[in-house]
């Protein structure tokens, strides 16, 4: 009898638990109006920050998420990266840095919501905008338009992600943290450009997304024509003037840009904390319901399939949490204090519209007064030069230039956007290990005679040949010089001109290095033109074309070209100018060192007895023990030129300290409208000198560090540094 009673109690408890789950599932709802998001009946101003899971390591995620929560965030926002999750058709990857489920569950465990931007186009300065390169070669495909092959592939991937989230109970109605999702990304300018096919595609994407029945709102960012029930949102440095396309929708700012990305060859942009806080306060005082910092932690473009065209390996973005996971002060603390002031004002903000007055020149006052008596005021000074004294309700408030004070009770100014109370601390890189014992291996220069080449008539587009399996493609041919050529007697060498669609080109004549040219993000196309020493008979021409990421933005950017497409001419021969463009060319994808797996093989590979220095196309290898402590680590590559770095077989990313930053650097006043070129550092220095080495990628001893160097450098001056704030 006792066991029967015990079983009855157990059954009763099981039933009660199931009822509780069912009830909580029913209660877990997400809705909105024009003033707020409503989650389980609670009206909220949502504060969000972007952290892209592949741009950090799983070991970093808990600390990053906790720092986001401590900074006052409610939501973690992330893209979903198709190329990382489906590297080949039907073969999926949700492991390591691409363990999306783990990342979302960690946010949930920390008590944060998630905004999942499924896209699947992401832009994000990410290789090929997040699309896998194999997608380009689906027959009949056109990206991001009313194209059936593209829509079939896109829907299949979106369904894959949504079903995965559902299977893990991660949407809010299931008790999970995902409170909203995004379909497509920044499509407005594309739709405007291509017209009717764009409108049809946009309508299809919206209908497809809603049909997936996630139970949470869907958004389309930067798209004024987003069809209902999509919520259209704003991206930019400022979004206070944005209004949704329907009066019942909340005012959302999906990308409040905390800084800007670094491009190889460009300076490092930064955005003053005062202006960022000012832009957010302006948005909130103008009925903003949701704002997201892009980025809150930028991280690192690890590997060669992360960074977009000419985008640096560092994606620090001057975010509140820096690339290495340390707090970027005073920005992090200044925004934390802003979030406290907004949350103190929330009751008034979510339940009333502001009364706006202009008491003086460049002065503006927004007062939110709810029926229940809650009151909050925002006092603004838009003057970029002078402070002002603003009188509000018989009290005087001092406002610095270009600033807003927040009064959560309409009396006490608890925060001013231009008054920083957090301590600033510029992070520094401190050497801890140098003088490593290096070995070198000289990369072979192939020729048209090699047996493992592909012969074709004329010049072929680079990605068409490599399928982006490597940054490197050799273009190989022969030049036959007759013994009666005039330049052989005169000594006036002929002029070889090679025109390329980008991104970098190394030229070798008869196995000897002849020169390098490279482009930039603004001008990826390049021209090599040099007088070359040719001999009578057969001359071997070896052109190494190097891609530096694939384009990630633009109308039909999948059609953009990379590599040597010509024309290629030889001027100063007996016939005048010889056109080499359409003759027989031979192609070889990748490097010999790649085929030998030099980046992952720790055993000794036969190389030069002496350490090669300042020699193009050289592989370097060393081992070291993990340094003590927990400080983040970086590799100082100041003595090197261009190439790629691996640690224990994992690619840290492309290095290019030889590309010196050009731009306008100098003093930067926080006041006044910000643009990505207003505040810049590192002019006249490498765009990126240090490269993040995740501690979790290290073993206690015997760590294999491999560097491939294209230009030539001195590896003995490479050092392992720690980052301290």
């Amino acid at each position: 009898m006792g066991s029967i009673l015990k079983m009855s109690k157990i059954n009763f408890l099981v039933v009660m638990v199931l009822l509780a789950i069912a009830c909580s599932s029913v209660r877990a709802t997400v809705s909105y109006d024009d003033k707020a998001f409503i989650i389980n009946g609670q009206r909220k101003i949502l504060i969000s920050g972007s952290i892209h899971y592949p741009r950090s390591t799983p070991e970093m995620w808990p600390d990053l998420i906790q720092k986001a929560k401590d900074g006052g965030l409610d939501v973690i926002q992330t893209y979903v990266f198709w190329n990382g999750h489906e590297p080949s058709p039907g073969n999926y990857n949700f492991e390591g840095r691409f363990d999306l489920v783990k990342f979302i569950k960690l946010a949930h465990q920390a008590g944060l919501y998630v905004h999942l931007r499924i896209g699947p186009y992401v832009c994000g300065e990410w290789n090929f905008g997040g699309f896998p390169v194999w997608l380009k070669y689906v027959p009949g495909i056109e990206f991001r338009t009313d194209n059936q092959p593209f829509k079939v592939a896109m829907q299949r991937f979106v369904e894959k992600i949504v079903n995965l989230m559902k299977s893990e109970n991660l949407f809010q109605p299931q008790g999970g943290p995902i409170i909203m999702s995004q379909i497509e990304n920044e499509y407005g300018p594309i739709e405007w450009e291509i017209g009717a096919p764009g409108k049809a595609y946009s309508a299809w994407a919206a209908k497809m997304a809603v049909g997936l029945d996630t139970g949470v709102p869907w958004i389309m960012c930067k798209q004024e024509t987003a069809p209902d029930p999509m919520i259209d949102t704003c991206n930019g440095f400022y979004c206070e003037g944005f209004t949704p396309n329907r009066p019942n929708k909340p005012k959302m700012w999906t990308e409040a840009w905390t800084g800007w990305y670094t491009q190889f060859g460009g300076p490092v942009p930064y955005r003053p904390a005062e202006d960022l806080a000012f832009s957010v306060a302006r948005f909130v005082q103008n009925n903003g319901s949701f704002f997201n910092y892009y980025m809150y932690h930028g991280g690192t473009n690890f590997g060669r399939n992360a960074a977009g065209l000419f985008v640096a390996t560092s994606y620090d973005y001057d975010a509140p949490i820096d690339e290495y996971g340390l707090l970027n002060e005073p920005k992090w603390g200044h925004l934390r204090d802003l979030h406290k002031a907004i949350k103190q004002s929330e009751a008034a903000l979510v339940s009333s519209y502001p009364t706006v007055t202009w008491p003086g020149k460049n002065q503006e006052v927004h007062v939110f007064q709810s029926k229940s008596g809650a009151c909050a005021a925002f006092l603004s000074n838009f003057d970029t030069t002078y402070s002002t004294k603003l009188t509000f309700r018989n009290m005087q408030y001092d406002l610095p230039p270009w600033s807003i004070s927040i009064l959560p009770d309409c009396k006490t100014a608890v925060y001013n956007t231009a008054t920083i109370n957090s301590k600033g601390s510029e992070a520094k890189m401190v050497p801890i290990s140098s003088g490593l014992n290096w070995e070198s291996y000289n990369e072979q220069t192939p020729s048209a005679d090699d047996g493992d080449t592909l012969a074709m008539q004329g010049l072929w587009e680079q990605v068409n040949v490599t399928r982006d399996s490597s940054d490197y493609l050799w273009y190989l041919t022969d030049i036959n010089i007759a013994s009666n050529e005039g330049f052989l007697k005169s000594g006036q060498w002929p002029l070889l001109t090679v025109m390329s669609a980008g991104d970098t080109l190394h030229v070798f004549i008869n196995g000897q290095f002849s020169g390098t040219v490279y482009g930039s993000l603004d001008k990826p196309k390049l021209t090599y033109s040099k007088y070359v020493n040719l001999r009578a008979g057969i001359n071997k021409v070896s052109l190494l074309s190097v891609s530096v990421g694939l384009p990630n933005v633009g109308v039909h950017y999948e059609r953009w070209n990379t590599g040597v497409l010509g024309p290629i001419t030889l001027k100063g021969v007996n016939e005048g100018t010889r056109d080499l463009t359409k003759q027989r060319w031979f192609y070889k994808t990748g490097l010999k060192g790649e085929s030998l797996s030099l980046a992952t093989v720790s055993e000794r590979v036969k190389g030069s007895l002496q350490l090669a220095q300042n020699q193009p196309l050289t592989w370097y290898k060393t081992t070291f023990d993990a340094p003590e402590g927990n400080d983040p680590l970086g590799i100082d590559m100041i003595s090197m030129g261009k190439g790629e770095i691996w640690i224990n077989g994992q690619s840290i990313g492309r290095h290019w300290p030889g590309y010196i930053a050009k731009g306008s650097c100098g003093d930067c006043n926080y006041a006044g409208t910000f643009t990505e070129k207003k505040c810049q550092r590192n002019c006249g220095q490498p765009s990126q000198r240090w490269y993040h080495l995740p501690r979790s990628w290290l073993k206690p001893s015997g760590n294999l560090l491999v560097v491939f160097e294209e230009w030539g450098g001195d590896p003995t001056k490479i050092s392992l540094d720690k980052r301290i704030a």
Side-chain angles (χ1 to χ4, degrees):
M1 183 70 176
S3 62
I4 294 174
L5 285 173
K6 197 177 289 182
M7 287 297 295
S8 299
K9 288 180 180 178
I10 291 171
N11 290 336
F12 176 75
L13 287 171
V14 170
V15 170
M16 292 305 292
V17 168
L18 290 172
L19 283 171
I21 292 172
C23 290
S24 66
S25 177
V26 171
R27 286 197 303 269
T29 59
V30 183
S31 60
Y32 55 82
D33 57 24
D34 63 330
K35 285 298 299 174
F37 274 89
I38 306 162
I39 303 176
N40 297 335
Q42 292 187 311
R43 301 176 63 78
K44 294 177 178 286
I45 301 291
L46 291 176
I47 303 173
S48 176
S50 288
I51 300 176
H52 294 161
Y53 51 99
R55 281 175 160 146
S56 53
T57 65
E59 292 77 12
M60 294 172 67
W61 293 345
D63 183 61
L64 294 174
I65 290 168
Q66 187 59 49
K67 285 173 177 172
K69 184 177 183 180
D70 294 343
L73 267 57
D74 305 304
V75 183
I76 299 295
Q77 177 173 292
T78 184
Y79 284 127
V80 177
F81 298 86
W82 190 355
N83 70 329
H85 289 302
E86 194 179 5
S88 61
N91 295 313
Y92 293 98
N93 172 31
F94 291 96
E95 298 177 353
R97 290 184 295 110
F98 289 94
D99 193 342
L100 175 59
V101 168
K102 179 178 181 178
F103 179 76
I104 293 174
K105 287 184 175 180
L106 286 170
H108 195 198
Q109 291 167 16
L112 297 177
Y113 299 119
V114 171
H115 175 204
L116 193 64
R117 307 175 83 185
I118 300 175
Y121 168 71
V122 302
C123 185
E125 291 73 59
W126 189 267
N127 193 61
F128 219 41
F131 290 141
V133 172
W134 58 258
L135 190 68
K136 176 178 178 177
Y137 299 99
V138 172
I141 202 163
E142 288 184 74
F143 286 6
R144 305 179 73 202
T145 187
D146 190 22
N147 172 268
Q148 191 62 21
F150 179 76
K151 291 190 294 184
V152 167
M154 171 177 165
Q155 182 168 350
R156 185 179 65 245
F157 180 74
V158 172
E159 287 178 347
K160 175 74 176 180
I161 297 300
V162 168
N163 290 337
L164 177 62
M165 299 300 104
K166 285 182 177 180
S167 70
E168 298 286 344
N169 296 315
L170 293 177
F171 287 107
Q172 178 72 5
Q174 300 174 293
I178 302 174
I179 58 170
M180 65 184 80
S181 292
Q182 178 179 305
I183 196 72
E184 249 297 335
N185 186 51
E186 298 182 324
Y187 192 66
I190 303 297
E191 183 181 296
W192 183 87
E193 185 81 18
I194 67 177
K199 278 190 175 299
Y201 164 69
S202 178
W204 167 84
K207 185 177 180 181
M208 182 267 289
V210 172
L212 296 174
D213 193 26
T214 62
V216 300
W218 284 89
I219 73 162
M220 283 182 160
C221 76
K222 203 172 175 181
Q223 187 174 356
E224 297 175 0
T225 60
D228 289 334
M230 297 287 126
I231 305 171
D232 61 311
T233 71
C234 183
N235 294 350
F237 290 116
Y238 305 94
C239 279
E240 72 278 356
F242 167 77
T243 54
N245 62 15
R246 293 287 186 275
N248 64 316
K249 295 178 181 178
K251 181 171 177 171
M252 295 181 63
W253 189 2
T254 35
E255 293 186 14
W257 297 331
T258 56
W260 201 244
Y261 65 93
T262 300
Q263 57 179 279
F264 284 125
V268 178
Y270 66 97
R271 187 178 188 185
E274 300 95 325
D275 179 69
L276 180 57
F278 180 66
S279 70
V280 170
R282 285 173 74 176
F283 180 75
V284 173
Q285 76 177 6
N286 282 282
N287 292 311
S289 301
F290 172 104
F291 59 90
N292 172 80
Y293 295 105
Y294 187 101
M295 301 291 296
Y296 198 76
H297 164 73
T300 307
N301 289 316
F302 295 115
R304 52 167 302 277
N305 298 119
L309 184 63
F310 282 98
V311 174
T313 299
S314 171
Y315 199 67
D316 183 84
Y317 222 88
D318 195 32
I321 305 174
D322 77 7
E323 176 184 4
Y324 293 77
L326 301 178
L327 299 183
N328 178 12
E329 295 286 20
K331 183 174 280 188
W332 182 88
H334 192 48
L335 295 177
R336 175 203 57 200
D337 296 343
L338 168 65
H339 304 154
K340 287 180 182 177
I342 290 171
K343 289 299 183 180
Q344 289 172 17
S345 308
E346 189 174 43
L349 293 171
V350 299
S351 55
S352 61
Y353 297 96
T355 300
V356 185
T357 56
W358 297 267
K361 184 180 179 182
N362 292 320
Q363 296 181 356
E364 191 172 276
V365 175
H366 291 240
V367 179
F368 296 82
Q369 182 87 49
S370 72
K371 293 179 181 178
S372 62
C375 185
F378 289 66
L379 314 183
S380 304
N381 175 19
F382 292 110
D383 197 293
T384 59
T385 306
Y386 299 106
S387 299
T388 190
K389 294 184 182 296
L390 191 154
T391 301
F392 173 66
R393 294 191 174 181
N394 299 318
M395 293 183 66
Q396 197 170 75
Y397 298 86
D398 293 322
L399 298 177
W402 198 253
S403 75
I404 296 175
S405 286
I406 301 176
L407 290 59
D409 59 357
C410 286
K411 295 177 185 176
T412 308
V414 300
Y415 182 86
N416 178 269
T417 59
T419 304
I420 294 180
N421 296 315
S422 299
K423 289 184 178 180
S425 57
E426 187 173 345
K428 289 183 279 189
M429 303 299 291
V430 179
I432 54 176
S433 178
S434 60
L436 299 168
N437 186 24
W438 293 91
E439 298 176 19
S440 63
Y441 169 85
N442 298 332
E443 177 68 27
Q444 297 176 6
T445 304
S447 72
D449 295 336
D450 291 2
D452 57 349
T453 58
L454 174 67
M456 289 183 284
Q457 206 67 29
L459 298 168
W460 282 58
E461 196 273 337
Q462 180 165 337
V463 179
N464 218 13
V465 180
T466 67
R467 294 299 200 264
D468 200 35
S469 61
S470 171
D471 281 357
Y472 303 97
L473 178 65
W474 287 98
Y475 291 74
L476 311 165
T477 197
D478 293 339
I479 299 179
N480 192 2
I481 297 298
S483 59
N484 64 347
E485 280 289 350
F487 73 83
L488 294 173
K489 296 178 181 178
S490 69
Q492 180 59 52
W493 296 350
L495 179 67
L496 177 65
T497 300
V498 182
M499 300 187 71
S500 170
D503 305 323
T504 298
L505 182 67
H506 306 297
V507 179
F508 296 82
I509 306 294
N510 294 321
Q512 299 299 308
F513 177 66
S514 183
T516 291
V517 286
Y518 51 95
S520 65
L521 179 59
D522 296 332
K523 295 180 179 179
K525 294 182 179 180
L526 50 94
T527 301
Y528 167 91
S529 192
K530 189 174 180 180
Y531 292 98
V532 292
N533 184 8
L534 301 180
R535 62 199 179 204
I538 300 298
N539 292 264
K540 302 295 182 182
V541 176
S542 304
L543 310 177
L544 181 58
S545 180
V546 189
S547 60
V548 187
L550 298 183
N552 56 274
V553 66
V555 177
H556 289 305
Y557 65 81
E558 75 272 17
R559 300 174 185 169
W560 296 6
N561 293 322
T562 303
V564 180
L565 296 178
I568 301 178
T569 59
L570 187 67
K571 184 178 181 180
V573 290
N574 286 352
E575 67 259 45
T577 299
R578 186 183 302 181
D579 188 356
L580 308 178
T581 308
K582 295 181 180 180
Q583 72 180 47
R584 193 167 179 80
W585 285 84
F586 296 78
Y587 297 84
K588 183 178 175 62
T589 297
L591 304 167
K592 183 69 173 178
E594 289 179 309
S595 66
L596 292 174
S597 301
L598 291 188
T600 57
V601 174
S602 57
E603 293 82 13
R604 185 178 184 90
V605 176
K606 188 177 180 181
S608 58
L609 295 175
Q610 281 191 319
L611 180 67
Q613 295 186 31
N614 300 310
Q615 180 173 312
L617 305 192
T618 305
W619 294 82
Y620 296 102
K621 181 180 73 171
T622 190
T623 57
F624 65 93
D625 296 340
E628 296 180 355
N630 295 311
D631 294 309
L633 302 175
I635 302 175
D636 186 353
M637 299 292 288
I638 188 67
S639 64
M640 306 304 284
K642 180 184 183 297
E644 191 172 351
I645 312 168
W646 294 263
I647 181 71
N648 293 327
Q650 296 198 71
S651 175
I652 291 173
R654 300 181 183 96
H655 72 271
W656 203 350
Y659 208 153
I660 303 303
K662 295 179 181 177
S664 177
C665 299
D667 293 337
C668 178
N669 185 353
Y670 78 86
T673 302
F674 182 82
T675 68
E676 67 270 21
K677 293 185 178 180
K678 180 180 179 182
C679 304
Q680 301 181 125
R681 300 187 180 102
N682 280 32
C683 293
Q685 301 177 47
S687 297
Q688 184 176 351
R689 173 175 174 174
W690 286 275
Y691 295 80
H692 180 207
L693 195 167
R695 271 197 179 265
S696 60
W697 290 7
L698 296 182
K699 304 177 292 186
S701 62
N703 294 285
L704 175 65
L705 176 62
V706 176
V707 174
F708 175 64
E709 175 57 44
E710 293 176 32
W711 287 10
D714 183 357
T716 64
K717 295 179 181 177
I718 294 174
S719 69
L720 187 63
D721 297 6
K722 65 179 180 180
R723 188 169 178 85
I724 56 175

